[in-house]
Amino acid sequence: MASVFLYHVVGDLTVGKPELSEFAETETVEAAIRAIADSSEGEIPVWKKRSQKTVMENAGTRQQRFVGILNALDVVAFLAREDSLADQSKAINTPVSEVVVPNNSALKVVDPGTRLIDALELMKQGVKRVLVPKSLVWRGMSKRFSILYNGKWLKNVDSFGGNSMKTIGNANRPSSSSTSSIQDKFCCLSREDVLRFLIGCLGALAPIPLSSIASLGAINPNYCCIEASCPAVDVTKKLPQDPCAVAVVEPTSDGQHKIIGEISSAKLRKCDYLDAAWALANLSAGQFVMGVEDNMTARSFPDIALDEMIGEANLDNGGSPTRPRKFSSRSIGFFGNPANPNFGVARSMYRGRSAPLTCKVTSSLAAVMAQMLSHRATHVWVTEAEKDDNLVGVVGYADILAAVTRQPGAAFSETHSS
């Protein structure tokens, strides 16, 4: 295993991270939309309010107050319900406690001295956020001052030149001193934060980053998909959790899936949520992701009067009321193909912001990591080497973390196809 995982601790990644600002379950859906737009993964942690704000709480109490993680697709799915469409004003003022899926295990509180490898194990098992107490005595840069000895983290030199020896804790669990002590300030590490750290350590991870995702076993073949001809609202029947994305596909004559788009939290996080909800409830999956042109008839797309605009532009200016307007898929954040107003014709010409992020089975792990970070994506769809749109799987955060932490005994031989 790469030494970068053994000689770094979680505290190293928290240097410069801002203090967590909690999003309470009593906040409205409208407030959640604004918060999600500012998030990196298209989702936000939701918390129960503290009973006594004047009393400092420990890490265990903080963990108990965590409710779950709310994402953009959850919000759009809620707004696409029949009762929400009937009264949009009531829907966007609904408390998020009625929308978020409770999942207390999606976030864990860990000690700053927790080994990075142990934090990665948590994330591989489904933890999406790591909450770290902001300690006044933590100075970071553990690699310079700590060694791994007999399963213990030993601080052998103080960062100011001291010589005191202090046991930070067992290597396989957070230190009891910190988890039981009173803490009131925390910062939150996402999986994107970890990925950014790892891409700065590619040399220490060699040869894994330059190996193909296929040879590393990083491709997850158990992806969620929906056929383009099916109603888009069908994706709400069983929303995927990790990654929160559904591939929109067309079946091919040889039994494969041809990917034409995706319906995902990452794609929807900065959309016009009310328009997206209407489209999800009324369009096919293919129409939703391919874009529907403005010149479609009023019979297909009636005028929609919105009491408030939740779109990205109006969020910036305070969400002032607007006049009724015709529906356009452009307001969802997707662009249609001007040369292809009829769904189902010449789809090879399709281009636009809704194009799914893809790579090939032969792509290197480093290339996929760079793709995800540059596009602020939570996943990349994987296609065959010979056919750009034949879908074979998906690579998400958990798959990458599993690949970079593989044991030395799981050696592999890399073969490059021409």
Side-chain angles (χ1 to χ4, degrees):
M1 182 173 295
S3 61
V4 66
F5 299 127
L6 300 177
Y7 296 114
H8 276 281
V9 294
V10 171
D12 295 339
L13 278 66
T14 66
V15 178
K17 289 287 290 184
E19 182 182 347
L20 171 70
S21 178
E22 291 187 359
F23 190 87
E25 63 176 352
T26 55
E27 295 279 359
T28 65
V29 169
E30 181 178 2
I33 289 171
R34 294 190 179 97
I36 289 172
D38 294 333
S39 69
S40 60
E41 296 188 29
E43 54 189 26
I44 53 173
V46 178
W47 303 82
K48 296 177 182 177
K49 282 191 173 182
R50 293 173 59 172
S51 56
Q52 294 179 310
K53 292 185 178 180
T54 57
V55 180
M56 297 179 70
E57 62 179 356
N58 60 31
T61 306
R62 194 66 170 257
Q63 176 74 61
Q64 292 173 4
R65 288 199 300 108
F66 173 69
V67 178
I69 294 181
L70 181 69
N71 63 55
L73 188 51
D74 288 332
V75 174
V76 172
F78 168 75
L79 294 175
R81 288 173 14 181
E82 187 175 347
D83 57 334
S84 297
L85 290 174
D87 191 343
Q88 294 174 328
S89 179
K90 178 182 177 182
I92 64 174
N93 286 291
T94 300
V96 297
S97 58
E98 299 184 23
V99 183
V100 64
V101 178
N103 181 9
N104 185 263
S105 63
L107 177 144
K108 292 296 181 184
V109 180
V110 301
D111 186 85
T114 302
R115 292 188 308 172
L116 182 57
I117 184 61
D118 297 322
L120 264 58
E121 285 299 322
L122 290 175
M123 290 184 170
K124 286 161 56 177
Q125 295 167 15
V127 173
K128 295 185 176 182
R129 295 286 196 281
V130 172
L131 201 63
V132 187
K134 290 181 71 70
S135 172
L136 296 177
V137 298
W138 181 256
R139 301 184 181 93
M141 297 306 294
S142 62
K143 186 177 180 181
R144 293 183 185 176
F145 312 122
S146 299
I147 59 172
L148 186 67
Y149 178 74
N150 252 356
K152 300 283 186 179
W153 273 102
L154 302 179
K155 181 163 282 191
N156 53 2
V157 182
D158 183 291
S159 61
F160 288 102
N163 55 10
S164 61
M165 297 288 287
K166 181 179 180 182
T167 302
I168 302 299
N170 189 283
N172 295 318
R173 58 181 172 84
S175 70
S176 58
S177 62
S178 221
T179 54
S180 61
S181 63
I182 299 299
Q183 298 284 348
D184 198 48
K185 294 183 178 181
F186 295 78
C187 62
C188 196
L189 287 180
S190 68
R191 294 175 297 179
E192 182 183 355
D193 293 324
V194 174
L195 199 62
R196 289 190 184 280
F197 173 80
L198 294 180
I199 209 165
C201 307
L202 293 183
L205 299 176
I208 291 176
L210 296 181
S211 305
S212 72
I213 53 176
S215 67
L216 292 171
I219 304 172
N220 181 3
N222 301 315
Y223 57 88
C224 293
C225 67
I226 182 174
E227 290 193 12
S229 58
C230 294
V233 74
D234 284 355
V235 303
T236 65
K237 293 179 179 178
K238 188 178 180 181
L239 293 176
Q241 294 301 311
D242 192 26
C244 187
V246 178
V248 179
V249 301
E250 289 182 320
T252 61
S253 57
D254 56 356
Q256 301 296 313
H257 285 155
K258 177 181 177 182
I259 184 169
I260 64 171
E262 69 172 59
I263 301 175
S264 67
S265 177
K267 285 287 187 183
L268 294 172
R269 73 185 183 97
K270 287 192 175 183
C271 72
D272 182 315
Y273 282 71
L274 294 184
D275 272 358
W278 188 92
L280 195 70
N282 291 277
L283 303 181
S284 71
Q287 288 173 324
F288 187 90
V289 301
M290 300 268 304
V292 180
E293 299 312 306
D294 293 328
N295 60 4
M296 298 295 284
T297 65
R299 178 187 296 270
S300 299
F301 302 100
D303 289 348
I304 301 176
L306 303 181
D307 294 327
E308 291 184 68
M309 276 300 297
I310 310 300
E312 183 179 356
N314 288 334
L315 285 176
D316 293 337
N317 61 27
S320 59
T322 62
R323 59 184 174 81
R325 60 197 173 85
K326 285 190 180 296
F327 171 80
S328 168
S329 61
R330 285 179 172 82
S331 62
I332 303 178
F334 296 162
F335 290 118
N337 179 2
N340 179 24
N342 297 315
F343 175 70
V345 180
R347 291 200 182 122
S348 62
M349 300 174 65
Y350 166 65
R351 294 292 184 271
R353 211 162 58 179
S354 61
L357 190 62
T358 62
C359 67
K360 296 179 181 294
V361 293
T362 52
S363 297
S364 69
L365 184 67
V368 174
M369 291 168 66
Q371 268 186 294
M372 289 176 64
L373 289 176
S374 62
H375 290 271
R376 305 208 76 173
T378 59
H379 58 280
V380 179
W381 301 104
V382 185
T383 62
E384 295 178 356
E386 297 79 15
K387 298 181 179 180
D388 290 344
D389 48 10
N390 271 14
L391 187 61
V392 298
V394 66
V395 176
Y397 286 118
D399 305 305
I400 290 177
L401 297 182
V404 297
T405 56
R406 62 188 301 117
Q407 296 296 329
F412 57 89
S413 59
E414 176 71 14
T415 57
H416 298 277
S417 59
S418 57

